[in-house]
């Protein structure tokens, strides 16, 4: 479904006049301000901020009826009116003709499904060939180890599935509640800020509270986060984003910490088996993401709840994950290290080793762009009738394909190094962002080209994350990894928040293209940092893959 404009847009004066009428009516519906495209400058602060929190003085019935009567009388033949949309909106008499025409075309729908099937077939073929060529490992033949892995996977995969199920329709849900793009950007910024704040103290919180209790707490907080999506109140949704940040911090700290402690301390399995567990978890994490996208598309279309349906469907999965953790897992704690000492040690390591500093620069620049991409893909593709769940599954299949290509490239046959693949990933993203600056030009949008560029970005992510994980383990001392990663996350999230705030203050039509242009410049800086790192480590034998092994990169996905 495409929405195209017939005639010229209203000029700034006309939009201001329309905004005046919205404000004078005291409307609390952000849809009115979306139509006007502005917040009137002369309105009181209470009325300007009111739509952000969905609280504003209500207009009287006589005011609304007069406005609606004028809108109907002034409408041109065939023009949308309040009655035709089932919701009130005023029309300024001096506003030039601007009609919304719905065009149903199969282009984006067919492209999405074809891409999904093609990527899925490619991934399946690569994985089947890899499984046939790989001899069975020692860990796979140990029944006790397999039972222990199963107890961990049952809970961990349910948690991951609930997390992925919400991803395709988050932006669409806020749009469904008639929030402006600027308001949605603030919600995303709140989630990112919550993630970085809770991420700084997550390790200490998990050690103090207990790993099992932290996993159960994750199930509770994430369930509450999903329940907040049933409300259209802006403040409630902000609270939900804060709970989502806490839950994300727990998801990527508590589960991994519990498994490693149980693996080494309680069951006394060889530490060399840990990478195999997380390599398998990484593969199934991608598979779960692909399935979750299809499931989200199905429940959003069939249940009848609309975009909120995937969030409701995630609650039983979270409840089951918490119940299985309570029943099957034992509690474990660890000796707490002072947060100040952890950060101080990480900062010393960051400043004393140029390799660590360059690696942190690459991570901050690359992943901040990925966060902005996560925000922008829905408003770029959704107006053209793209099936969001299938689009998301295609993204995850492309990422899985990238991970499979990473394993093939670092195998004994090709023997490429992670540093080479990291450089390739950054180059692919730079090229994709340049594509997006042209495919999102106002009035010349090309959704198919944008979709291809997004797929290339996800393919690059599949190459980037295992490469970055390998280099971090080799460059950063194990005792300082927690502190260094905390410092990595701060500029990463700050850059992402800054980008979203810039988008919040920009014009809707040109803002998206300008943001992709800014992201292109950021990725060029990341490419320069990659060149600098390659110059420093090109003769470092420690950063070479000695044998074709699978890398444990699940915690970073």
């Amino acid at each position: 479904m495409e929405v195209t404009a017939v005639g010229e847009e209203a000029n700034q004066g006309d939009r201001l006049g329309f905004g005046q009428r919205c404000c004078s009516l005291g409307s609390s519906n952000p849809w009115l301000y979306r139509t006007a495209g502005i917040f009137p400058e002369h309105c009181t602060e209470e009325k300007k901020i009111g739509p952000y929190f969905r609280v504003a003085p209500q207009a009287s019935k006589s005011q609304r009826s007069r406005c609606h009567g004028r809108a109907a009388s002034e409408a041109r033949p065939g023009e949308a009116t309040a009655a035709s949309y089932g919701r009130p909106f005023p029309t300024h008499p001096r506003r030039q003709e601007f009609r919304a025409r719905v065009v149903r075309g199969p282009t984006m729908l067919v492209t999405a499904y074809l891409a999904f099937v093609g990527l899925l077939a490619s991934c399946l073929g690569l994985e089947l060939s890899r499984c046939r060529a790989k001899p069975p490992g020692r860990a796979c033949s140990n029944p006790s180890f397999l039972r222990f892995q199963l107890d961990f996977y049952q809970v961990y995969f349910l948690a991951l599935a609930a997390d992925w199920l919400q991803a395709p329709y988050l932006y669409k849900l806020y749009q469904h509640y008639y929030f402006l793009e600027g308001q949605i950007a603030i919600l995303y910024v709140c989630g990112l800020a919550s993630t970085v704040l809770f991420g700084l103290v997550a390790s200490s919180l998990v050690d103090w509270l207990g790993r099992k209790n932290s996993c159960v707490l994750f199930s509770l907080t994430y369930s509450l986060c999903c329940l907040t999506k049933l409300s259209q109140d802006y403040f409630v949704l902000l609270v939900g984003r804060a709970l989502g940040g806490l839950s994300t911090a727990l998801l990527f700290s508590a589960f991994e910490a519990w498994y490693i402690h149980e693996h080494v301390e309680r069951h006394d399995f060889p530490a060399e088996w840990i990478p195999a567990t997380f390599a398998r978890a990484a593969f199934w994490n991608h598979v779960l993401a692909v399935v979750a996208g299809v499931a989200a598309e199905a429940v959003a279309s069939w249940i009848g709840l609309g975009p909120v349906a995937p969030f409701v469907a995630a609650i039983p999965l979270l409840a089951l994950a918490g119940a299985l953790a309570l029943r099957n897992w034992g509690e474990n704690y660890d000796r707490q290290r002072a947060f100040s000492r952890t950060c101080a040690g990480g900062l010393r390591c960051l400043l004393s080793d140029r390799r660590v500093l360059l690696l942190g620069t690459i991570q901050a620049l690359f992943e901040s762009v990925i966060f902005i991409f996560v925000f922008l893909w829905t408003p770029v593709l959704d107006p053209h009738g793209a099936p969001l769940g299938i689009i998301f599954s295609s993204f995850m299949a492309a990422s899985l394909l990238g991970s499979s290509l990473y394993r093939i490239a670092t195998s004994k046959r090709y023997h490429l190094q992670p540093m080479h693949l990291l450089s390739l990933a950054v180059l692919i993203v730079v090229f994709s962002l340049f594509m997006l600056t042209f495919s999102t030009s106002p009035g010349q949008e090309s959704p198919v080209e944008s979709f291809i560029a997004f797929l290339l970005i996800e393919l690059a992510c599949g190459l980037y994350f295992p490469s970055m994980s390998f280099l971090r383990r080799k460059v950063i001392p194990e005792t300082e990894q927690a502190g260094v990663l905390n410092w990595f996350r701060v500029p990463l999230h700050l850059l992402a928040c800054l980008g979203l705030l810039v988008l919040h203050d920009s014009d809707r039509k040109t803002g998206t293209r300008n943001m992709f242009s800014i992201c292109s410049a950021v990725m060029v800086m990341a490419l320069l940092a990659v060149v600098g790192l390659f110059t420093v480590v090109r003769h470092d034998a420690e950063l070479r893959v000695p044998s074709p092994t699978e890398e444990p990169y699940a915690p970073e996905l």
Side-chain angles (χ1 to χ4, degrees):
M1 179 185 299
E2 295 184 5
V3 179
T4 59
V6 180
E8 298 182 0
E9 266 191 279
N11 59 31
Q12 180 66 23
D14 292 332
R15 292 195 296 142
L16 178 60
F18 182 44
Q20 291 173 356
R21 297 180 66 177
C22 294
C23 191
S24 65
L25 286 174
S27 173
S28 63
N29 190 344
W31 185 86
L32 297 176
Y33 295 93
R34 182 205 303 276
T35 308
I38 55 168
F39 284 111
E41 292 299 329
H42 66 281
C43 291
T44 63
E45 289 300 315
E46 177 186 3
K47 288 186 177 181
K48 282 202 291 183
I49 297 175
Y52 271 78
F53 294 92
R54 301 188 68 81
V55 289
Q58 295 297 312
S60 66
K61 290 185 178 179
S62 59
Q63 286 176 305
R64 290 196 297 267
S65 63
R66 287 198 300 271
C67 178
H68 300 162
R70 287 195 300 269
S73 63
E74 295 162 0
R76 301 187 182 186
E79 188 169 352
T81 64
S84 64
Y85 274 84
R87 64 169 72 89
F89 64 91
T91 304
H92 195 271
R94 292 182 293 110
R95 197 169 181 224
Q96 297 180 22
E97 182 180 5
F98 183 81
R99 298 197 301 272
R101 180 164 53 90
V102 177
V103 180
R104 296 186 180 275
T107 304
M108 198 60 223
L109 187 69
V110 172
T111 302
Y113 277 97
L114 286 177
F116 175 61
V117 172
L119 289 167
L120 206 58
S122 301
C123 294
L124 187 61
L126 289 176
E127 290 301 323
L128 288 176
S129 62
R130 183 182 66 88
C131 289
R132 284 197 299 266
K134 179 184 174 183
R138 182 171 53 130
C140 297
S141 61
N142 188 311
S144 299
F145 179 70
L146 291 177
R147 282 195 301 271
F148 170 62
Q149 264 191 339
L150 181 61
D151 287 340
F152 172 68
Y153 285 154
Q154 283 178 338
V155 178
Y156 188 49
F157 287 164
L158 283 170
L160 290 174
D163 184 44
W164 287 123
L165 192 61
Q166 304 169 51
Y169 279 89
L170 181 60
Y171 188 101
K172 181 69 173 179
L173 176 70
Y174 297 142
Q175 206 173 44
H176 180 71
Y177 290 156
Y178 300 115
F179 289 117
L180 303 172
E181 186 176 32
Q183 296 171 287
I184 300 173
I186 295 297
L187 287 168
Y188 273 75
V189 168
C190 180
L192 289 174
S194 174
T195 299
V196 70
L197 289 176
F198 286 115
L200 292 173
V201 299
S203 298
S204 301
L205 176 65
V206 166
D207 291 339
W208 173 76
L209 190 62
R211 278 71 180 270
K212 171 185 169 181
N213 291 335
S214 298
C215 295
V216 175
L217 177 63
F218 158 82
S219 300
L220 293 174
T221 56
Y222 220 4
S223 297
L224 289 174
C225 174
C226 293
L227 287 173
T228 62
K229 301 299 188 294
L230 296 172
S231 172
Q232 297 187 30
D233 186 86
Y234 195 77
F235 180 76
V236 173
L237 293 172
L238 284 173
V239 172
R241 291 297 291 168
L243 289 172
L246 171 61
S247 304
T248 301
L250 292 174
L251 175 62
F252 294 110
S253 59
F255 288 87
E256 177 191 1
W258 180 89
Y259 176 82
I260 293 174
H261 186 279
E262 293 288 310
H263 182 105
V264 176
E265 301 295 335
R266 180 166 298 182
H267 295 278
D268 198 26
F269 293 130
E272 293 79 14
W273 292 2
I274 294 177
T277 297
F278 286 115
R280 183 174 297 177
F283 170 76
W284 287 107
N285 183 32
H286 277 108
V287 173
L288 285 171
V290 173
V291 174
V294 178
E297 181 73 22
V299 297
S301 302
W302 298 343
I303 289 183
L305 296 177
V308 78
F311 299 90
V312 175
I315 296 176
L317 300 179
L318 293 167
L320 183 58
L324 288 175
L326 280 173
R327 190 187 71 175
N328 298 335
W329 287 12
E331 186 59 276
N332 63 61
Y333 300 86
D334 197 8
R335 178 176 59 85
Q336 299 181 44
R337 185 183 180 187
F339 176 71
S340 58
R341 290 182 57 192
T342 300
C343 290
L347 184 59
R348 282 195 301 270
C349 179
L350 186 64
L351 297 178
S352 62
D353 191 336
R354 189 183 176 193
R355 300 178 305 170
V356 178
L357 185 61
L358 287 170
L359 207 60
T361 302
I362 296 167
Q363 178 173 334
L365 296 174
F366 186 97
E367 296 184 24
S368 62
V369 169
I370 298 304
F371 274 120
I372 295 172
F373 151 70
V374 168
F375 175 81
L376 287 176
W377 73 265
T378 302
V380 169
L381 298 180
D382 184 51
H384 303 280
L388 298 182
I390 302 301
I391 292 288
F392 180 80
S393 292
S394 301
F395 290 164
M396 295 300 102
S399 182
L400 177 58
L401 180 62
S403 298
S404 300
L405 292 175
Y406 171 85
R407 286 192 290 269
I408 293 173
T410 55
S411 64
K412 189 175 181 179
R413 181 177 179 180
Y414 298 99
H415 205 58
L416 290 176
Q417 299 304 318
M419 192 66 228
H420 301 146
L421 298 175
L422 179 66
S423 305
L424 178 61
V426 175
L427 275 172
I428 291 174
V429 175
V430 171
F431 172 74
S432 303
L433 290 170
F434 276 120
M435 282 183 62
L436 288 165
T437 59
F438 293 101
S439 64
T440 57
S441 298
Q444 299 177 346
E445 294 87 352
S446 177
V448 174
E449 290 181 13
S450 298
F451 179 48
I452 293 172
F454 289 150
L455 289 176
L456 288 175
I457 291 175
E458 286 290 348
L459 179 71
C461 288
L463 296 170
Y464 165 85
F465 281 109
S467 303
M468 179 60 73
S469 178
F470 175 88
L471 294 171
R472 275 204 305 260
R473 289 198 322 274
K474 296 295 184 180
V475 169
I476 305 172
E478 185 176 357
T479 56
E480 304 296 344
Q481 283 197 11
V484 171
L485 290 179
N486 283 340
W487 287 107
F488 281 6
R489 293 187 187 103
V490 171
L492 189 163
H493 288 87
L494 285 178
L495 285 172
C497 291
L498 181 63
L500 292 178
L501 290 174
V502 169
L503 186 65
H504 165 264
D505 289 331
S506 63
D507 178 71
R508 169 65 184 89
K509 291 198 170 185
T510 60
T512 300
R513 185 193 182 191
N514 292 341
M515 183 50 60
F516 283 129
S517 300
I518 294 172
C519 288
S520 300
V522 170
M523 287 307 301
V524 169
M525 295 169 59
L527 185 61
L528 294 176
V530 169
V531 172
L533 180 62
F534 189 81
T535 303
V536 172
V537 304
R538 59 184 173 182
H539 300 304
D540 194 341
E542 183 186 6
L543 300 184
R544 295 182 175 272
V545 178
S547 59
T549 58
E550 294 181 335
E551 302 301 335
Y553 52 91
E556 281 70 45
L557 291 180

